[in-house]
Amino acid sequence: MMTCKDVSLLLSTGQLDDAPLSRRLAVRLHLALCRHCTAFRRQLERLARAARAAGREFDREPTSDFESKVGKRLESEG
Amino acid sequence: MEPSLLARLRRRDPASLKAVVDDNARRLYRAARGMGCGRDEADDLVQEVFVTFLNGLDRFEGRAEVRTWLFGILHHKIQERRRMQAREELHDSIDEIFESRFDARGNWTRPPVEPDREAASREAGAAIRDCLDGLSPLQRAVFQLRQVEDLSAAEVGKILGQTITHVGVLLHRARTRLRACLDGKGWTSIP
Ligand SMILES: [Zn+2]
């Protein structure tokens, strides 16, 4: 039987997808029965979404000719 | 990488070079910013990454994907600039924070709160940018590549020269530290 600590550690390390099928099923069963670990998983998802929102802000920073600027630099090196 | 693509790149075929730049330049810029570089520094670094890529094509054996290789060069250059240690200490005090949330039988002592659906991710995005500064450089790199760039643990391991297991440890520490930091800022629905 997996404890809440086992489940949340496996979720937090991001290694669930690489775990054996029996482990993945045990986690799924635990999540179906445990609202605390389900809330924990949602928090991790929320954290990732916030990080991607921060990333999108960075995306707006380079000018639209950024790629062609890099291309010109490569031409001058080539 | 496909041998034909490598051959075209070695010939400096303009269309192939342009495709590589178009596919990766902005992502590399975003990753550099996410890893703590300023605007000008990130701009500069991305150009350097492509120059290094171009000059290394003849030595490149084509075993890795172009993207993995480019991100690896970026990581290496940031490391050089920061003189940061590639090896994370074995112990991190953040591990105790995670431990303290469970009792001896592995049950939650302070259960997580269900996140508020309405919390604006944009505002949380601004808060998280401050919190990212609290991570070690490697934790920051792993978090950025796994969570923002959505790369697999295996690819991130190749880019950073770390085992898949250690990538997991670093991601866990980054997340735990970010959750603690956001909690301190009042974002209780995230941590
Ligand atoms: Zn649980």
Side-chain angles (χ1 to χ4, degrees):
Chain A
M1 188 65 191
M2 291 181 86
T3 65
C4 289
K5 191 176 173 183
D6 297 333
V7 169
S8 54
L9 190 60
L10 199 53
L11 293 173
S12 187
T13 54
Q15 288 170 325
L16 185 59
D17 290 346
D18 300 323
L21 181 64
S22 59
R23 207 113 231 267
R24 295 206 304 273
L25 288 174
V27 169
R28 210 189 293 172
L29 180 65
H30 183 103
L31 287 171
L33 301 171
C34 177
R35 64 191 167 89
H36 297 329
C37 288
T38 301
F40 179 77
R41 188 183 56 175
R42 295 229 172 90
Q43 288 182 351
L44 291 181
E45 287 165 3
R46 182 60 62 92
L47 187 63
R49 225 177 306 154
R52 285 192 287 269
R56 281 194 294 278
E57 296 297 311
F58 292 140
D59 282 352
R60 296 195 189 96
E61 288 178 359
T63 49
S64 56
D65 63 348
F66 182 57
E67 285 83 357
S68 67
K69 189 168 99 182
V70 175
K72 286 207 185 81
R73 171 83 188 269
L74 286 186
E75 274 171 36
S76 72
E77 292 281 332
Chain B
M1 193 196 308
E2 276 178 52
S4 61
L5 174 62
L6 184 58
R8 274 179 308 197
L9 288 171
R10 279 183 177 153
R11 283 202 310 272
R12 308 288 193 257
D13 169 48
S16 304
L17 282 172
K18 184 176 183 305
V20 169
V21 170
D22 286 350
D23 287 349
N24 295 286
R26 225 157 263 262
R27 282 188 91 170
L28 289 164
Y29 177 91
R30 181 173 64 202
R33 291 286 280 124
M35 290 183 214
C37 300
R39 286 167 191 243
D40 294 342
E41 190 183 19
D43 189 299
D44 216 44
L45 264 174
V46 172
Q47 301 198 39
E48 275 184 35
V49 166
F50 282 105
V51 170
T52 304
F53 169 79
L54 197 66
N55 292 335
L57 276 170
D58 293 329
R59 273 171 287 120
F60 184 55
E61 289 164 15
R63 272 201 289 256
E65 292 300 319
V66 174
R67 180 181 69 189
T68 311
W69 192 24
L70 288 168
F71 274 105
I73 298 171
L74 176 71
H75 169 65
H76 188 73
K77 290 203 174 290
I78 293 178
Q79 250 189 342
E80 263 175 14
R81 290 193 178 202
R82 304 275 186 275
R83 296 175 206 282
M84 72 193 209
Q85 293 192 314
R87 210 169 258 284
E88 191 89 349
E89 307 104 71
L90 287 174
H91 179 80
D92 185 323
S93 60
I94 199 69
D95 293 342
E96 281 141 35
I97 294 187
F98 183 78
E99 292 285 326
S100 74
R101 300 207 52 186
F102 301 92
D103 65 20
R105 284 182 304 174
N107 294 319
W108 290 98
T109 50
R110 184 166 71 93
V113 187
E114 184 73 19
D116 171 11
R117 285 185 193 287
E118 305 311 315
S121 63
R122 219 187 141 102
E123 282 170 46
I128 218 175
R129 282 163 82 152
D130 293 338
C131 290
L132 284 168
D133 290 335
L135 303 181
S136 78
L138 262 183
Q139 288 170 4
R140 194 167 180 164
V142 167
F143 182 78
Q144 181 71 24
L145 296 174
R146 289 283 278 129
Q147 299 275 268
V148 181
E149 299 305 325
D150 210 18
L151 305 184
S152 70
E155 185 169 4
V156 174
K158 274 187 207 147
I159 290 168
L160 303 178
Q162 303 287 328
T163 63
I164 293 183
T165 307
H166 201 53
V167 167
V169 171
L170 292 165
L171 178 62
H172 167 61
R173 286 176 176 168
R175 284 165 145 181
T176 308
R177 204 171 276 285
L178 287 173
R179 286 153 43 83
C181 175
L182 287 167
D183 196 15
K185 286 176 179 290
W187 285 90
T188 45
S189 73
I190 290 181

